[in-house]
Amino acid sequence: MHLKNKLRAGIGFLFLMALISSGLAAYYLNRLAVDSKVVLKDNYRSLTYTKNIGQVLNDSKKERLDSQTIKTIETNLKKEEQNITEPGEAKLADSLRINFELYQFAPYNALYKSNMMAAVYAIMQLNMDAIQHKYDKAIKTADDAILIVSLMGSVCFLIAFSFMVNFPGYIANPLKKNLDALKQISDNKTTFIATISHELKTPISSIKMGLKLLQDERVGPVNNEQQELLKDIENDTQRMLQITGELINVAQAETGNIQLNFGSTHPKNIVSYAVRVIKSLAEQKEIVIDTLCPDSLPNVVADLDKATWVLTNLLSNAVKYSPAKSTIILQVKRQNNNAIEFSVKDDGYGIDSIYLSRIFERYFKVPGADPDQTGTGLGLAIAKDFIEAQGGMIGVESDPGNGSRFHFTLTTNKA
């Protein structure tokens, strides 16, 4: 075989392996994007609609539903009927619709209301199971991708190494009989090594990029379409965690199985971490966080992670509800010999007094709040459970028009 053809065959083979590796990385990246993107989209909507229905049914103490409650149920039920995604969900939605219609005509029959609640809980459970299934599928896709790309990378490396070691000799040996030919071979070999070294950069970079994207979830030099896919993966995954994390915390609280890791730490450690986490969000609205935490304060006995989570949650809420270019006051002071109080004061609108007693209830949202600002309605409930589990107290003071002050206490290290 002519030297030129040998070079073409060898380089072409390496290039083919690089294309296969890059193609596999792109294929699994796309599959991961698709699997992750659907984890929460439709199922989360169904959870929201049924939660809204269940909440108004629980809140309604009268046998006959008032017009506002009927309107809320009807609105969310229509949305749920248009968002059927799981096997069996349509049948449950039909059952909810039938019992809703019957209950309006026979409000004194508690069976219809009970059937409505059963259908609501069944739809929620169905969609939560679907979320878990899709999450497991996305994880399996990522694991498969890492395995396949790693194997392809190893094969490419072995082939390239063998190619670099053996191929120059394979080219040079038949030409050693002639000095002129040997010189030509030497020149060709030099060119070949340089070419191979250059060509190897492409598959190695592709393999590193694929592994980095799949393992570290960080973006490399990709095109616009891939950037959009990666952004969707990042946004959807973040949202699931948040919800999954909150659901896990709620499950711990409801079972009385909150896992605490107590330690002694200065309040400044809790404050500095929480402020650092929320700094970027505050800067977007040009909000200043004025921190008052004297060094003279004693240590507190607390679960550092959970105490920091609570303070971060309060700061996040304060930033959300505060106007731009305002100031949030984060103050830590000794309440008595046995407790240290952490408080967060914002300049938002505040909370009407009729809602203060319910602000720490699960899934409760202040009526009329901006939908873009409200979350799942679990954050403050989890915060209350975390603080009380550590022997502290949590509360709120609010004056409509003058903002709100959320505060909680932790026990000091020494009385």
Side-chain angles (χ1 to χ4, degrees):
M1 183 183 291
H2 196 274
L3 177 61
K4 184 183 293 185
N5 293 331
K6 292 180 181 179
L7 284 173
R8 285 176 177 173
I11 295 173
F13 181 72
L14 284 179
F15 184 70
L16 177 62
M17 295 301 296
L19 283 179
I20 293 175
S21 298
S22 300
L24 283 171
Y27 168 74
Y28 278 104
L29 180 61
N30 182 66
R31 278 191 56 188
L32 183 61
V34 173
D35 291 346
S36 299
K37 194 172 183 178
V38 301
V39 168
L40 291 175
K41 186 179 179 181
D42 294 329
N43 299 114
Y44 179 72
R45 289 175 181 171
S46 291
L47 287 174
T48 300
Y49 303 148
T50 51
K51 176 184 71 82
N52 292 339
I53 295 173
Q55 183 173 332
V56 296
L57 286 174
N58 282 327
D59 291 345
S60 178
K61 305 301 182 182
K62 299 179 181 179
E63 294 178 337
R64 181 180 294 278
L65 301 177
D66 57 39
S67 59
Q68 182 60 41
T69 299
I70 292 174
K71 181 180 179 181
T72 300
I73 294 175
E74 180 65 30
T75 299
N76 285 275
L77 182 51
K78 284 183 178 179
K79 292 180 178 179
E80 167 58 21
E81 290 170 339
Q82 296 171 358
N83 192 56
I84 302 299
T85 59
E86 303 303 326
E89 189 173 357
K91 184 177 179 180
L92 292 172
D94 290 341
S95 174
L96 180 56
R97 167 64 70 182
I98 292 171
N99 283 278
F100 175 51
E101 300 293 343
L102 292 173
Y103 189 65
Q104 292 182 71
F105 289 104
Y108 299 101
N109 192 331
L111 177 61
Y112 298 139
K113 184 175 182 180
S114 176
N115 290 342
M116 289 172 66
M117 292 299 298
V120 165
Y121 291 139
I123 293 174
M124 293 179 70
Q125 185 62 52
L126 184 67
N127 281 276
M128 289 176 68
D129 291 342
I131 289 174
Q132 182 62 49
H133 173 72
K134 293 171 184 176
Y135 172 76
D136 293 340
K137 182 179 178 182
I139 292 299
K140 186 179 184 303
T141 299
D143 292 340
D144 291 344
I146 292 172
L147 177 61
I148 295 298
V149 174
S150 297
L151 288 175
M152 288 301 301
S154 299
V155 171
C156 284
F157 174 79
L158 292 175
I159 292 175
F161 181 77
S162 176
F163 190 75
M164 292 179 64
V165 170
N166 299 315
F167 200 50
Y170 176 71
I171 295 175
N173 289 335
L175 304 176
K176 287 182 179 179
K177 296 178 180 179
N178 189 289
L179 292 178
D180 293 334
L182 183 59
K183 184 177 184 300
Q184 182 64 40
I185 290 175
S186 179
D187 292 338
N188 288 338
K189 184 173 69 172
T190 302
T191 303
F192 166 74
I193 295 299
T195 303
I196 290 298
S197 298
H198 176 75
E199 291 295 326
L200 282 176
K201 291 181 181 178
T202 299
I204 291 175
S205 297
S206 298
I207 294 168
K208 289 178 65 177
M209 180 186 70
L211 289 175
K212 193 172 183 180
L213 287 171
L214 293 171
Q215 292 178 326
D216 298 336
E217 301 179 0
R218 293 184 294 184
V219 179
V222 294
N223 58 41
N224 292 334
E225 182 179 355
Q226 290 171 324
Q227 288 176 356
E228 291 178 2
L229 289 173
L230 289 174
K231 186 176 181 181
D232 287 340
I233 294 173
E234 181 181 5
N235 292 337
D236 291 341
T237 303
Q238 182 61 33
R239 190 175 184 188
M240 180 193 67
L241 288 174
Q242 180 182 355
I243 295 175
T244 304
E246 289 184 346
L247 290 175
I248 292 173
N249 289 331
V250 168
Q252 288 185 5
E254 289 180 343
T255 59
N257 189 32
I258 298 179
Q259 300 175 0
L260 298 173
N261 183 20
F262 282 102
S264 177
T265 187
H266 194 274
K268 269 197 170 182
N269 295 328
I270 299 174
V271 169
S272 61
Y273 182 84
V275 171
R276 186 166 63 253
V277 170
I278 215 67
K279 181 180 179 182
S280 176
L281 182 62
E283 288 177 346
Q284 292 176 14
K285 297 179 66 174
E286 299 183 43
I287 291 176
V288 175
I289 300 178
D290 188 5
T291 303
L292 305 173
C293 183
D295 293 330
S296 58
L297 291 173
N299 285 4
V300 293
V301 177
D303 184 308
L304 181 58
D305 290 337
K306 289 182 171 56
T308 303
W309 187 96
V310 172
L311 185 57
T312 302
N313 182 267
L314 298 185
L315 283 173
S316 175
N317 289 341
V319 170
K320 277 195 239 178
Y321 292 104
S322 292
K325 299 182 180 180
S326 61
T327 299
I328 294 173
I329 300 176
L330 169 55
Q331 184 176 20
V332 185
K333 62 182 181 180
R334 183 189 288 268
Q335 188 182 63
N336 53 51
N337 289 336
N338 298 318
I340 297 294
E341 181 190 72
F342 296 74
S343 66
V344 176
K345 173 70 171 65
D346 62 61
D347 286 333
Y349 173 76
I351 305 169
D352 290 333
S353 58
I354 58 175
Y355 302 123
L356 288 178
S357 62
R358 301 190 57 199
I359 200 68
F360 292 102
E361 292 181 5
R362 290 185 180 88
Y363 304 108
F364 177 76
K365 300 179 183 180
V366 176
D370 187 346
D372 293 333
Q373 292 180 326
T374 56
T376 60
L378 291 172
L380 290 177
I382 295 172
K384 181 175 184 291
D385 291 329
F386 280 176
I387 293 302
E388 291 182 350
Q390 297 176 75
M393 298 178 63
I394 191 169
V396 59
E397 302 162 5
S398 187
D399 181 16
N402 294 312
S404 304
R405 177 179 176 269
F406 283 84
H407 53 86
F408 65 89
T409 61
L410 294 174
T411 306
T412 58
N413 194 26
K414 293 182 180 179

